[in-house]
């Protein structure tokens, strides 16, 4: 069981929305009791979005899998990354997941392990597979279901292209509803789609020292068509217990 967060997080949370540079740790955050590397990790997420800020998060095994072939994924990463995920949720206005993630994991997508308010929960469901019995629809505040045809309250209709929503359309719809900070939490297909569309500002990729020997790939969709097009991005490795978090700056 992960213990509830304490020590310095409240000061950092209070700085959300402050007009601070992305390369500096703002006051009063700099004087908090959180480790310096974590302050630097979260500082880029505190700035005022212009117009929207998108961070994606994935946890994978050493051999690049986010789940077994059965869909089981809890928990590839350790307790420190679970806490990190809750911190990210506390810093954003909305958390976005693909429908397969809610079908496989039935997550709550709320903030339980640190101080902060629950974000708006968004399920991308282009084929109408998300049933009402899932916890995101039964528990907590209303969840927005992005879909091709409205069937229930809080449905948001978007056009479908090749079975998926265009990430730019998703972000535009969120911005119209006052959402300015977005966490794309999974799964691999959804994160890959947002990356390929150039709609992610920062990627938090956590690598756990486990081997699955096969399973669902972290990035199942091609991001480039030739190796020369693969961009080497600025990235900082940060230890999270026995895992490593790579903080990748994309824009």
């Amino acid at each position: 069981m992960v213990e509830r967060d304490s020590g310095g997080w409240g000061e950092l949370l209070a700085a959300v929305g402050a007009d601070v540079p992305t390369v500096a740790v703002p006051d009063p955050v700099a004087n908090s009791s959180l480790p310096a590397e974590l302050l630097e990790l979260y500082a880029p997420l505190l700035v005022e979005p212009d117009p929207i800020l998108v961070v994606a998060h994935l946890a994978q095994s050493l051999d690049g899998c986010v789940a077994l072939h059965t869909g089981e994924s809890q928990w590839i990463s350790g307790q420190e990354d679970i806490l990190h995920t809750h911190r990210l949720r506390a810093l954003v206005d909305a958390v976005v997941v693909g429908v397969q993630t809610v079908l496989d994991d039935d997550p709550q997508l709320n903030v339980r392990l640190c101080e902060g308010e629950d974000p708006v929960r968004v399920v991308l469901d282009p084929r109408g597979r998300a049933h009402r019995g899932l916890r995101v629809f039964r528990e907590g505040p209303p969840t927005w279901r992005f879909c091709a045809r409205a069937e229930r309250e809080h449905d948001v209709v978007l056009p479908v292209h090749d079975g998926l929503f265009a990430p730019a359309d998703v972000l535009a719809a969120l911005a119209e509803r006052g959402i300015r900070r977005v966490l794309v939490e999974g799964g691999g297909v959804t994160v890959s789609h947002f990356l390929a569309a150039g709609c992610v500002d920062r990627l938090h990729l956590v690598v756990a020292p486990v081997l699955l020997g096969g399973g669902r790939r972290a990035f199942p969709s091609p991001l480039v068509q030739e190796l020369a097009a693969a961009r080497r991005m600025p990235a900082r490795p940060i230890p999270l217990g026995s895992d490593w978090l790579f903080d990748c700056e994309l824009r």
Side-chain angles (χ1 to χ4, degrees), residues 122-134:
V122 177
V123 176
L124 305 183
D125 187 20
R127 289 186 286 167
R129 295 191 293 149
H131 57 83
R132 298 173 187 267
L134 294 163

Side-chain angles (χ1 to χ4, degrees), residues 161-210:
H161 308 279
D162 297 325
L164 297 169
F165 300 125
D169 289 346
V170 173
L171 297 180
L174 291 175
E176 289 174 0
R177 290 161 175 79
I179 301 298
R180 305 194 64 198
R181 290 182 175 85
V182 178
L183 170 62
V184 182
E185 192 172 311
V189 171
T190 300
V191 172
S192 294
H193 196 41
F194 273 73
L195 286 170
C199 289
V200 176
D201 297 294
R202 301 192 83 88
L203 170 66
H204 287 189
L205 180 64
V206 176
V207 180
V210 296

Side-chain angles (χ1 to χ4, degrees), residues 56-60 64-67 71 73 76 96-102 104-105 124 164 167 184-196 200 203 205 215-223:
H57 172 269
L58 272 184
Q60 68 168 49
C65 296
V66 295
S73 63
I76 287 178
V96 175
V97 296
V99 64
Q100 193 62 53
T101 293
V102 295
D104 289 339
D105 298 339
L124 305 183
L164 297 169
V184 182
E185 192 172 311
V189 171
T190 300
V191 172
S192 294
H193 196 41
F194 273 73
L195 286 170
V200 176
L203 170 66
L205 180 64
R216 296 184 181 177
R217 308 299 299 175
F219 302 102
S221 303
L223 301 180

Side-chain angles (χ1 to χ4, degrees), residues 2 32 86 95 131 151 176 196 202 223 230:
V2 180
S32 84
H86 283 249
V95 55
H131 57 83
E151 298 174 341
E176 289 174 0
R202 301 192 83 88
L223 301 180

Side-chain angles (χ1 to χ4, degrees), residues 59-63 75-78 206-211 242-244:
Q60 68 168 49
S61 62
L62 277 176
D63 48 350
W75 303 96
I76 287 178
S77 56
V206 176
V207 180
V210 296
L211 296 171
S242 61
D243 303 329
W244 283 92

